Amino acid sequence: LADGVARRRGGSAGGVADAAGHQPRAGRELGDALGAHAGREHALGGLADHAGLWRHLVQHDEDRRVYVRIHRDEVLDAWLICWFGSQDTGLHDHDLSSGAVRVVDGTLTEDRLVMGEPGVVSTEHAAGDGFSFDSSRIHDVRNGGAGASVSLHLYSPPLERMGYYEIAADGCLARRNAPASEELPPPVAA
C-alpha cells in the first residue's frame, strides 16, 4: 500500500508500506515504539508518547472524518483518526479484531446498545483517556466536543473486515460484513 490519507465517507485506505512491502523509516520507528510495550493499551501509550512520528499527519476536514493507517505488521494495525463537528463511525464491530483507542486531542463519545437499558448508553473519553474492546463489541464512536479531536487506534489481529449495522426495512438491526477499507455508507432511514 502507498502512504496516504483515507477518509470515511469518501477517499481510499492509506498504508505504510511501499509497493515492495518495505516500511519507510517512520514506519519502523512506529513499530519500535509499539513493540516496546506489552499489551494494546500500553502500546497506545508508547505511540502517544512518540507524537513526532504521527503528529504531522493530523488534518481535519469539515465534511469527512480523516483517517490514516500509520503502522501495520502481522500482529497489529495502528490508525490515526481526525474528527470534526458531528463526525462519527456509524454503528459497527471489528469482526475478528480486538482494539484499543487513545484520545490525544479533544473528546470522543462511544455509544453502545445495552440490553435492558433504554436507548443508547454513551461514555465520554477526554484527551489522555482510552478504552479497549474485544471483537464482539458493537459501538458507534463520534466526536464528542465542539472542537476537533484526534485519536490513535490499535487493532489485533490487523483489521481486515468490519460489520456495519443498519436498520433494515422491517425495522430490525441487520449486520453487513464488509472489508475494513470500504467507506461507511450513508445512514439508512428508519
Side-chain angles (χ1 to χ4, degrees):
L1 296 172
D3 287 332
V5 174
R7 298 163 190 231
R8 274 305 211 200
R9 297 190 176 134
S12 60
V16 295
D18 64 17
H22 301 103
Q23 280 188 329
R25 188 176 68 80
R28 287 191 302 274
E29 290 175 8
L30 280 166
D32 292 344
L34 292 167
H37 302 275
R40 285 184 308 273
E41 291 184 51
H42 287 97
L44 269 174
L47 184 56
D49 290 344
H50 290 84
L53 297 174
W54 51 264
R55 183 60 77 176
H56 65 284
L57 298 171
V58 171
Q59 65 180 33
H60 296 279
D61 185 313
E62 291 182 13
D63 297 323
R64 46 184 65 106
R65 189 167 53 96
V66 177
Y67 61 99
V68 64
R69 181 184 289 152
I70 57 176
H71 178 82
R72 182 180 177 99
D73 61 28
E74 64 280 353
V75 177
L76 61 82
D77 270 340
W79 293 81
L80 170 74
I81 303 181
C82 305
W83 313 75
F84 192 81
S86 61
Q87 295 167 352
D88 72 317
T89 61
L91 199 58
H92 69 283
D93 68 44
H94 300 94
D95 200 42
L96 301 176
S97 300
S98 295
V101 175
R102 168 73 65 94
V103 181
V104 292
D105 293 324
T107 302
L108 293 182
T109 301
E110 180 187 27
D111 296 327
R112 298 183 63 204
L113 299 174
V114 179
M115 298 301 289
E117 296 290 330
V120 173
V121 174
S122 299
T123 305
E124 286 198 2
H125 303 279
D129 292 345
F131 60 97
S132 60
F133 49 88
D134 66 19
S135 60
S136 68
R137 186 157 202 164
I138 299 168
H139 64 175
D140 179 12
V141 180
R142 59 186 163 89
N143 187 32
S149 298
V150 176
S151 55
L152 296 167
H153 301 241
L154 294 183
Y155 303 102
S156 183
L159 194 58
E160 296 291 337
R161 301 195 66 73
M162 294 179 66
Y164 294 105
Y165 292 83
E166 301 163 345
I167 299 172
D170 64 0
C172 293
L173 194 61
R175 182 182 191 272
R176 184 177 53 80
N177 195 19
S181 61
E182 181 180 300
E183 301 305 317
L184 186 66
V188 176

